[in-house]
Amino acid sequence: MSPQILTALIAVPLTGGGLAVILGRRSDDAARWVSLLAALLTVALAATLWFGFQETLPAAQGPVLEQRISWIPRYGIEFHLALDGLNLLFVILTACLGTVAVLISWREVTRAVGAHYLCIMATVAGIMGVFLAYDLFLFYFFWELMLVPMYFLIGVWGHERRIAAAIKFMIFTMVSGLLLLVAILTLYYAHGAATGNYTMDYTRLLGTQIGLSTARWIFLGFVAAFAVKLPLFPLHTWLPDAHTEAPTAGSILLAGLLLKTGGYGLIRFAVPLFPDAAASLATPLAVLGVIGIIYGAILAYSQRDLKRMVAYSSVSHMGFVMLAVAVWQITALQGAVMQMLAHGVATGAMFAIAGMIQERLHTRDFSELGGLWSKVPKLSAFALLFVLASVGLPGFGNFVGEFLILLGSFPVTPMLVAGGVLGIVLGTIAMLALMQRTFYGPSRNAAVIADLSPREVLALGILAVAAVVLGLLPQPFLRAAEPSLAGIISQSIPFNPADPEVGLDVLRTAAENTADFSLQPPSDPTGAEIAPASRVPVAESAVGLTGTNPGVTTESSPGSAHAIPASARAGNEETGS
Amino acid sequence: MTLSLMVMPPLIGAALLALAGGRLGRKAIAVLACAAVALSFMAAVWTSAPLLATTYESMSSLSGLEFWPQVSTTMEGVPYVQEKLYEWIGVGSLRVNIGFHLDAVAALMVLVVTGVGLLIHLYAAGYMADDPDFGRFFCYMNLFVAAMLILVLADNLVLLYLGWEGVGVCSYLLIGFWYREPANGAAASKAFVVTRVGDAALALGLFLLARDLGTLRIDEVASGAARLWAVGDPTVTLVAALLLIGAVGKSAQVPLQVWLPDAMAGPTPVSALIHAATMVTAGVYLIARTHAIFLMAPAVMAAVAIVGTLTAFLAGCAALAQKDIKRVLAYSTISQIGFMFAALGVGAFAVALFHLMTHAFFKALLFLSAGTVSHALHGETDLHRMGGLRHGRALPGTAALAAVGVGSLAGLPLITSGFYSKDAILWASLQPPYGHPMILAGLLITAGLTTLYAFRWYFMIFSGSPGPASRGEVHRPRALMLWPCVGLAAGALLIGFLETPETLGGYHALGDFLNPVFAAAEHTVGGEHAGFASAEAAHTAELAVQGAAAAMSLIGVLLAYYFFVMRPAWLERLKQGAVGRLIEATWRSGWGFDEVYELVFVRPYVALAKLLRDEPVDDVVDAIAGTARFSSVLLSVTQTGRLRTYAGALVFGILLLLTIWLWP
């Protein structure tokens, strides 16, 4: 397959957006149709990739398709896009949600239609670039590129308090983005100084040897940007404002795609580039993730505004992704990918529904909603479906995601998993309250409103089918991501003993040998040999992990037992089969 | 395609009703929904028949025919039918299939679910005939049957969990079916959330099993646990405890029973199907299904027995004080499931399932009768406003059917199925190693209570003089509502004879069928002569237990007749006293669990949510923004544009610097 298809994934939506502006001067409908065409073309490209690589994906740990164009050779910067199983899934999600966003704003937006579609399509293009970039400079370029049109989407086409929300969004993302830039540059110079090869290439920067304390700062620079996007408690406060004030298409892109760039960045860049630093900070990150799960669920329950409620449920759901990344085991990461896909679909749909209600009733306030089922049964039935998906009902993708994340994390940190399970229960309370306040009960609004139009049924139908497919047939997606994730994990050695059997068995030994919550499985002798000599000794990072005094010696650090007891391993082999 | 033929019809039915329900007529909807369950029932019979044939000589001629699904046997010699559809979730070494497994226990369950389910669907077609949301109702009902069958047939715990959550959702949807009433929505949400607390524990149990065993297939879990853990190992005890919490939530046992009485907000056929016959017994099924784990955790076995006995007693008391026709039955269901839990806890798994089956028939019958009564009285549910419906043109047929149900619930000796199943539980509760005389005593007292409240219920509706509600014109039930009850009544009378005690013939059709599955338990429970010195002693003891049970039942009927028919005034006087008032209030509120939970969980949580509503974290962000704004104000004050201010500031600054510089 031609590698140009990767560039096309970015160029097609961008071109579509440009054409929308030009044609939009003549007619709004032309802008809509050309955007829809471009979006559908993007879906077709993504589908081509998906079906084209069905055979090769399960075998390939690295990229299956790469495009390199020399860009600024003096600084080692290339236009380098690459596709593997991991980002392919996100590319598909982006293409699909982009189409949904176009369909959803068909009637909602009447002002500066062409520019609106340009913003949507430019955001989609930027997100595509973020997912595909294999050059850190290019990555940063797309990272900033996707923010600008989003800023305008919120600020121009948003609701009542759109300006404040847009500025808040911009400040949060810009500040964290600058930290990312500083981190990238520091890494660039550190790598250059160590090897004499100044490059922004992701694959070459992997395995850069940096002292733990420096690495931690650079890692935190990456994490700052990604955690704001994810969003990680307590950096989430831009999200409810931005989601609430954004127009429907903006909310869908934000919740469905922009948040995923944070999770993707953590998995693709932050942890693999700085495995030691990540290990040493895993505990606080995991704890923050679980706090976010619970906190988001509580806040969701307490909201008075439909969109804010969905926004906080996003905070809750994305906390699971942070937990998985902190635990850094294949099962949990598989779950994180599923969680992000499923959350994009289900929460995107919830925002679409909120937008449809707003469009009809001109309110999102629960005190003015209620009893909608009797008025708009189709819309309500769709809402019920996505509410059930959001509470993690088996049969929907969210369940697969949460289940795998918790399953993978349990051997490492049972207490935090228990916290996550508590968060699911609290999330259920919130989502049932949403259902009750909006669709059940007596009607509080006399307005006569229309049920879904065929276009809306189509948009929600796509998402409904996707949610169920992710829930009942997740295996193709899991299989697609598995080799890439395994490859990424093997590149971040300190996390994982070099055990050929990656999976539950590894988790189990990790859990058995760590009395305390330690995210670092004791490396077995082979693993220690593979680790580069300059890497920080295992004991040191384990100390940081378990949160004990840095002066503690190896003997007293619970997470640092070096050898796995033979009996435990034997037990594994016996029972694991 | 063998076992999935059972699951598919209701699933497809639900999908069709969801997509096209609005366009179909009522008759088409009813026919579609009932036909789906009927097909499912036929598939259940078809797949269970060869299993029956392996047990019973008389049916062995079946086994040679190609027509039946193929039966395999486990290493322990337990026959089963299996079907794997596809791999659902496969990550690392964990492989989870969409796969079904039918053994004797599952066969019993699917026959009950589809059989009783079919009768209730037929009844509902009559009962709900005037409801505007007819299609939505049957969509949920069909979906429920499908989810319940998945729960029962799952060959692994994750798929079981899918069914488990699926029935929970259908329960939620059907409790809140009449959504315009906010109270119904609250009851529905309460049911879902409370059971989800149990589900959360269940999920943790699954994670623990997956971590240590690397599999969640039910058969592999059983064998793996036996290899990995010793009896009483803390880990396996923890797993069993977590599974128990899940079962307690779903089956409405203490302390998570609070949702079931409120669940009566749903339409009556829903109460009959979901909140009596099938879903609430899922906890019993779960423990029976994973009995291998429970047998390795004696402490948890004891807990199961205690929870069951305690629940049976507490709910029995509560049932005695209810005013609402359905709430009596709801507490009765909680109490009867308590009996099943007690049986599970003493290791008598087959006996628990026996009671599950008889209970499914007589309790569904009672609910449907209650529905007919309410329907006849234009929606009246207050027992105190009823009476005299047995007579004349009122509801003689329903009265007779309800009498069968009540008699079976009370366990009237010899003629009702409830007698046989309850007696089996009482007898088992005495047997070593898990049995204990205290459990027997608790259950015997509860048996007496059961008769009392059962006949109170019956007498208040059907005997005496007509109450305010039953004086007027009585709405005659449709034929479609009567005939399913006749079927259930026949079951409530007859199925008890499938399993009779040693003293009454010792016919063990059901035990022979189920017990191979529980072979591991059979070695430990009872022992020779059921723990008694000799066969004669055991025989005497069994007779004594039966005698006590029969006496409890008969005395209860007499007491109920005396209190509620002959001397109602006397009881009223008793209730006027301080103690009487307190007892009535406590029992009517179900021992005040709701009030305590409201105080301990609900209010603090709502208060916390309110406290956090405006995002305290954002205060920090606002503080940063505020600081920036404040500094800007401070600095802009200095920009006066007047020369003298600048000069003064300059001099002041120089002086300040000099002072600092020259400071010793």
Side-chain angles (χ1 to χ4, degrees):
Chain A
M1 204 173 292
S2 154
Q4 273 75 24
I5 200 168
L6 298 180
T7 316
L9 280 171
I10 300 164
V12 167
L14 212 52
T15 317
L19 284 176
V21 173
I22 297 166
L23 296 176
R25 288 193 196 143
R26 299 256 171 82
S27 122
D28 289 349
D29 272 340
R32 293 181 182 121
W33 280 106
V34 75
S35 310
L36 184 62
L37 258 164
L40 287 175
L41 192 56
T42 320
V43 173
L45 289 174
T48 315
L49 291 173
W50 172 253
F51 292 110
F53 287 113
Q54 276 302 306
E55 304 298 314
T56 27
L57 271 179
Q61 286 216 340
V64 288
L65 194 62
E66 270 189 280
Q67 181 172 34
R68 280 172 192 271
I69 301 167
S70 184
W71 185 13
I72 315 175
R74 183 194 290 183
Y75 301 116
I77 296 172
E78 284 177 315
F79 186 85
H80 182 188
L81 303 176
L83 185 84
D84 67 355
L86 178 62
N87 56 18
L88 173 57
L89 295 177
F90 289 102
V91 164
I92 294 168
L93 180 74
T94 308
C96 292
L97 284 181
T99 311
V100 171
V102 170
L103 283 174
I104 285 296
S105 42
W106 207 263
R107 288 269 162 269
E108 184 189 335
V109 172
T110 49
R111 196 158 52 88
V113 176
H116 179 259
Y117 281 104
L118 171 64
C119 286
I120 291 183
M121 299 316 274
T123 312
V124 169
I127 292 169
M128 282 285 186
V130 164
F131 287 137
L132 290 171
Y134 254 52
D135 181 284
L136 286 185
F137 186 83
L138 187 65
F139 174 76
Y140 182 75
F141 172 79
F142 284 123
W143 184 262
E144 296 292 313
L145 181 73
M146 68 182 176
L147 302 179
V148 180
M150 182 50 76
Y151 169 78
F152 285 115
L153 267 182
I154 301 172
V156 177
W157 292 274
H159 303 307
E160 310 84 49
R161 302 193 304 116
R162 57 180 178 268
I163 301 294
I167 291 175
K168 195 171 183 180
F169 167 74
M170 204 59 182
I171 292 177
F172 265 85
T173 45
M174 270 298 182
V175 170
S176 62
L178 283 175
L179 292 176
L180 173 65
L181 180 63
V182 172
I184 289 176
L185 290 177
T186 318
L187 173 65
Y188 171 77
Y189 284 113
H191 181 263
T195 62
N197 176 14
Y198 286 87
T199 177
M200 283 282 187
D201 193 84
Y202 165 67
T203 40
R204 270 175 237 151
L205 287 172
L206 280 174
T208 305
Q209 290 149 22
I210 305 172
L212 180 62
S213 56
T214 321
R216 245 191 238 167
W217 284 109
I218 312 178
F219 173 69
L220 281 177
F222 277 80
V223 167
F226 300 146
V228 163
K229 275 285 155 46
L230 193 58
L232 179 65
F233 176 91
L235 303 176
H236 65 276
T237 62
W238 63 271
L239 179 138
D241 289 333
H243 278 63
T244 310
E245 299 306 325
T248 308
S251 301
I252 293 173
L253 294 182
L254 270 174
L257 299 174
L258 230 66
L259 307 193
K260 278 63 201 180
T261 59
Y264 174 79
L266 286 169
I267 295 174
R268 170 75 75 199
F269 295 103
V271 180
L273 285 171
F274 314 99
D276 298 304
S280 75
L281 292 167
T283 308
L285 288 178
V287 170
L288 285 178
V290 173
I291 290 178
I293 295 172
I294 295 173
Y295 185 85
I298 298 177
L299 270 275
Y301 174 73
S302 70
Q303 297 307 310
R304 301 189 192 95
D305 180 302
L306 176 57
K307 270 182 132 181
R308 270 189 105 76
M309 191 168 193
V310 180
Y312 274 109
S313 82
S314 279
V315 176
S316 184
H317 286 138
M318 298 311 280
F320 283 100
V321 176
M322 189 67 245
L323 176 64
V325 170
V327 168
W328 204 251
Q329 297 290 358
I330 184 98
T331 308
L333 287 178
Q334 291 264 41
V337 172
M338 281 307 290
Q339 172 82 352
M340 286 194 269
L341 297 179
H343 173 267
V345 169
T347 308
M350 285 309 293
F351 277 118
I353 285 167
M356 290 171 188
I357 292 173
Q358 160 120 21
E359 201 183 325
R360 287 166 168 78
L361 291 172
H362 309 288
T363 181
R364 307 180 306 264
D365 194 318
F366 286 128
S367 65
E368 296 172 43
L369 296 174
L372 287 187
W373 195 296
S374 51
K375 293 182 173 178
V376 282
K378 280 187 211 160
L379 174 64
S380 310
F382 271 114
L384 174 66
L385 184 107
F386 292 115
V387 160
L388 293 178
S390 293
V391 301
L393 190 78
F396 294 104
N398 299 56
F399 168 75
V400 180
E402 283 165 15
F403 178 76
L404 289 178
I405 290 172
L406 295 175
L407 186 76
S409 309
F410 187 83
V412 185
T413 162
M415 289 319 288
L416 285 182
V417 167
V421 170
L422 172 70
I424 294 181
V425 175
L426 298 182
T428 308
I429 296 177
M431 294 314 278
L432 294 188
L434 184 155
M435 210 52 215
Q436 182 67 33
R437 293 171 194 170
T438 313
F439 300 101
Y440 296 148
S443 173
R444 292 203 197 83
N445 202 314
V448 177
I449 51 175
D451 208 347
L452 297 182
S453 69
R455 174 184 53 83
E456 290 170 322
V457 170
L458 176 69
L460 292 180
I462 294 170
L463 295 173
V465 170
V468 173
V469 166
L470 284 172
L472 289 178
L473 295 166
Q475 203 53 32
F477 307 100
L478 292 172
R479 233 191 329 256
E482 187 163 22
S484 309
L485 287 173
I488 287 173
I489 289 177
S490 69
Q491 278 153 4
S492 29
I493 293 161
F495 276 95
N496 227 3
D499 192 323
E501 174 72 351
V502 190
L504 282 172
D505 291 7
V506 176
L507 298 182
R508 176 134 182 263
T509 47
E512 277 180 356
N513 291 283
T514 46
D516 201 344
F517 166 37
S518 157
L519 295 177
Q520 169 144 22
S523 55
D524 61 10
T526 50
E529 278 163 27
I530 286 172
S534 68
R535 280 250 160 80
V536 190
V538 174
E540 191 185 322
S541 55
V543 168
L545 253 179
T546 48
T548 48
N549 183 351
V552 173
T553 52
T554 315
E555 285 78 22
S556 64
S557 167
S560 59
H562 270 265
I564 295 163
S567 60
R569 290 192 63 79
N572 277 339
E573 276 146 27
E574 189 187 327
T575 57
S577 51
Chain B
M1 288 286 275
T2 49
L3 299 176
S4 51
L5 281 181
M6 230 184 294
V7 180
M8 282 304 158
L11 203 58
I12 294 170
L16 285 179
L17 289 171
L19 295 175
R23 262 160 274 161
L24 294 176
R26 274 163 201 277
K27 205 159 194 180
I29 291 171
V31 168
L32 176 64
C34 295
V37 183
L39 280 175
S40 189
F41 177 65
M42 290 194 295
V45 172
W46 175 62
T47 46
S48 305
L51 290 182
L52 290 164
T54 58
T55 310
Y56 305 119
E57 290 289 319
S58 56
M59 289 177 71
S60 56
S61 56
L62 289 180
S63 51
L65 297 176
E66 292 265 321
F67 173 71
W68 308 100
Q70 198 187 345
V71 178
S72 328
T73 18
T74 62
M75 280 193 294
E76 292 83 23
V78 184
Y80 65 93
V81 178
Q82 205 165 24
E83 183 185 359
K84 179 194 160 180
L85 290 185
Y86 62 91
E87 186 175 284
W88 179 22
I89 303 171
V91 172
S93 60
L94 186 75
R95 301 281 138 187
V96 176
N97 293 330
I98 301 277
F100 300 126
H101 179 102
L102 183 88
D103 61 4
V105 174
L108 176 83
M109 290 294 289
V110 294
L111 288 171
V112 169
V113 169
T114 53
V116 175
L118 175 60
L119 292 174
I120 294 174
H121 267 74
L122 290 171
Y123 176 93
Y127 184 84
M128 300 295 287
D130 301 325
D131 199 280
D133 278 332
F134 200 66
R136 187 162 60 92
F137 179 80
F138 277 106
C139 170
Y140 293 165
M141 288 288 271
N142 265 359
L143 189 62
F144 169 79
V145 172
M148 190 70 204
L149 289 172
I150 291 173
L151 190 167
V152 171
L153 290 171
D155 74 346
N156 64 76
L157 289 168
V158 187
L159 187 60
L160 184 147
Y161 191 77
L162 182 146
W164 185 269
E165 294 279 313
V167 293
V169 163
C170 294
S171 156
Y172 159 77
L173 294 173
L174 284 163
I175 295 169
F177 179 73
W178 288 313
Y179 57 85
R180 287 182 185 81
E181 190 61 50
N184 296 352
S189 300
K190 181 178 175 183
F192 197 37
V193 171
V194 172
T195 50
R196 259 222 149 178
V197 171
D199 300 351
L202 176 59
L204 286 174
L206 300 198
F207 298 147
L208 202 55
L209 281 174
R211 184 192 77 181
D212 287 0
L213 302 177
T215 177
L216 286 170
R217 278 185 59 103
I218 293 169
D219 48 353
E220 290 175 2
V221 163
S223 56
R227 261 183 287 139
L228 188 65
W229 292 308
V231 172
D233 185 281
T235 316
V236 75
T237 305
L238 183 60
V239 171
L242 289 167
L243 295 182
L244 172 61
I245 296 173
V248 159
K250 203 60 140 192
S251 290
Q253 298 292 290
V254 169
L256 295 178
Q257 85 287 18
V258 290
W259 63 270
L260 188 60
D262 289 354
M264 297 300 122
T268 302
V270 172
S271 312
L273 178 61
I274 299 182
H275 305 117
T278 54
M279 183 194 84
V280 284
T281 57
V284 178
Y285 179 74
L286 175 72
I287 295 178
R289 186 86 286 177
T290 55
H291 65 279
I293 303 273
F294 280 83
L295 285 174
M296 296 180 71
V300 181
M301 285 294 277
V304 175
I306 292 167
V307 163
T309 313
L310 191 69
T311 308
F313 176 74
L314 293 179
C317 294
L320 208 44
Q322 299 304 314
K323 294 197 299 191
D324 186 286
I325 186 170
K326 279 170 75 184
R327 272 181 100 86
V328 175
L329 299 179
Y331 277 107
S332 161
T333 302
I334 298 175
S335 177
Q336 293 299 306
I337 297 173
F339 274 90
M340 297 174 210
F341 267 62
L344 294 170
V346 298
F349 302 106
V351 172
L353 291 169
F354 180 33
H355 194 56
L356 187 160
M357 180 168 72
T358 61
H359 176 259
F361 279 90
F362 67 70
K363 190 52 68 63
L365 172 61
L366 285 172
F367 267 113
L368 296 190
S369 307
T372 307
V373 169
S374 290
H375 185 259
L377 304 183
H378 311 282
E380 182 61 54
T381 59
D382 189 343
L383 284 173
H384 290 289
R385 295 166 56 80
M386 300 176 183
L389 287 175
R390 182 160 53 100
H391 305 297
R393 295 192 310 109
L395 298 168
T398 305
L401 291 167
V404 171
V406 163
S408 199
L409 169 61
L412 290 186
L414 304 182
I415 50 166
T416 62
S417 61
F419 169 73
Y420 292 101
S421 57
K422 200 172 292 181
D423 178 65
I425 292 178
L426 293 172
W427 174 234
S429 70
L430 206 55
Q431 295 180 13
Y434 304 106
H436 195 279
M438 288 298 289
I439 294 171
L440 175 66
L443 293 181
L444 259 181
I445 294 169
T446 311
L449 278 174
T450 308
T451 320
L452 208 57
Y453 74 67
F455 277 92
R456 168 182 177 264
W457 183 85
Y458 180 79
F459 291 143
M460 286 179 88
I461 300 171
F462 295 105
S463 297
S465 52
S470 51
R471 229 170 263 143
E473 196 200 338
V474 172
H475 205 101
R476 304 280 301 167
R478 298 182 172 91
L480 206 50
M481 292 164 66
L482 217 50
W483 288 110
C485 293
V486 173
L488 290 171
L493 286 176
L494 296 178
I495 51 173
F497 299 112
L498 288 177
E499 180 80 13
T500 61
E502 298 301 332
T503 48
L504 292 169
Y507 183 61
H508 296 304
L510 192 72
D512 292 343
F513 184 49
L514 295 179
N515 274 330
V517 180
F518 302 117
E522 289 306 294
H523 299 308
T524 51
V525 175
E528 207 177 346
H529 311 317
F532 288 91
S534 65
E536 288 74 39
H539 188 76
T540 318
E542 191 169 3
L543 264 181
V545 169
Q546 269 160 24
M552 275 296 184
S553 165
L554 293 173
I555 293 170
V557 178
L558 293 177
L559 280 180
Y561 190 72
Y562 184 79
F563 281 136
F564 302 112
V565 180
M566 285 172 70
R567 293 267 189 280
W570 191 80
L571 194 69
E572 283 307 313
R573 253 203 318 284
L574 197 70
K575 281 199 265 182
Q576 294 309 314
V579 181
R581 270 213 301 272
L582 181 70
I583 290 180
E584 195 189 18
T586 314
W587 287 2
R588 182 164 292 167
S589 70
W591 297 90
F593 277 92
D594 270 328
E595 286 74 9
V596 172
Y597 289 169
E598 174 81 22
L599 214 62
V600 177
F601 297 113
V602 179
R603 282 206 205 141
Y605 183 69
V606 173
L608 175 70
K610 217 174 232 169
L611 194 73
L612 295 176
R613 179 186 284 160
D614 294 320
E615 186 65 279
V617 177
D618 220 15
D619 293 347
V620 180
V621 178
D622 289 341
I624 296 171
T627 315
R629 206 174 302 132
F630 183 64
S631 335
S632 129
V633 170
L634 270 190
L635 290 175
S636 52
V637 164
T638 61
Q639 304 292 318
T640 57
R642 267 176 277 181
L643 193 59
R644 59 170 185 247
T645 340
Y646 295 155
L650 190 68
V651 171
F652 178 75
I654 289 168
L655 283 176
L656 192 71
L657 287 175
L658 276 176
T659 321
I660 293 167
W661 185 40
L662 295 174
W663 204 259

